[in-house]
Amino acid sequence: RPKSPDRSGWTPEQHAQESKAKGDAAFAKGIWRDAVVFYTRAISYAPKDEKLFSNRSACYMRLKKFEKALEDARRCVSLRDSWPKAYFRLGQALRGLRKWEEARQAFAEGRFRDPENPD
């Protein structure tokens, strides 16, 4: 195993980027629990990065932890309410919880934010 880099002079953003990259790699391999750990670590360094909450919400969805997915999706919306993907994550979590009407509303809000998006 290669020697770890010296992180003593790193900024919080650099720590967050490193953890996010590890989370992205775990996500790509379908190792959802590890991805959650890495995204959680990244969030500790960058608590206002909506994409980290979105990514962790997606992991929780894969793990069928719909309440946790919902918490992260709501946080994502609160950080960037103009981002259509935040509403997509919200809709997914609500659908997982079988809250059909709320899910429909979240998806509709995302569509309103980006009507050209085919997803």
Side-chain angles (χ1 to χ4, degrees), residues 37-111:
V37 170
F38 289 122
Y39 290 134
T40 300
R41 189 175 301 155
I43 288 167
S44 73
Y45 290 108
K48 295 186 185 214
D49 186 334
E50 71 282 351
K51 291 178 183 158
L52 296 173
F53 286 96
S54 175
N55 292 354
R56 192 171 69 176
S57 179
C59 292
Y60 283 137
M61 286 298 299
R62 299 292 181 121
L63 293 168
K64 302 204 181 316
K65 294 186 176 201
F66 303 122
E67 286 291 340
K68 288 183 176 276
L70 180 61
E71 287 175 33
D72 279 357
R74 285 185 170 148
R75 181 75 174 131
C76 188
V77 168
S78 75
L79 289 169
R80 188 170 163 204
D81 66 357
S82 63
W83 191 34
K85 192 170 192 175
Y87 295 95
F88 175 73
R89 294 286 186 229
L90 185 61
Q92 284 186 310
L94 290 164
R95 186 174 57 193
L97 292 167
R98 300 180 172 274
K99 295 183 177 184
W100 310 119
E101 183 55 28
E102 290 177 65
R104 189 196 64 73
Q105 290 172 1
F107 288 131
E109 184 64 27
R111 170 73 59 185

Side-chain angles (χ1 to χ4, degrees), residues 6-20:
D6 177 14
R7 296 178 183 89
S8 60
W10 281 24
T11 65
E13 291 79 19
Q14 289 171 307
H15 284 286
Q17 288 171 357
E18 180 186 51
S19 293
K20 181 187 180 299

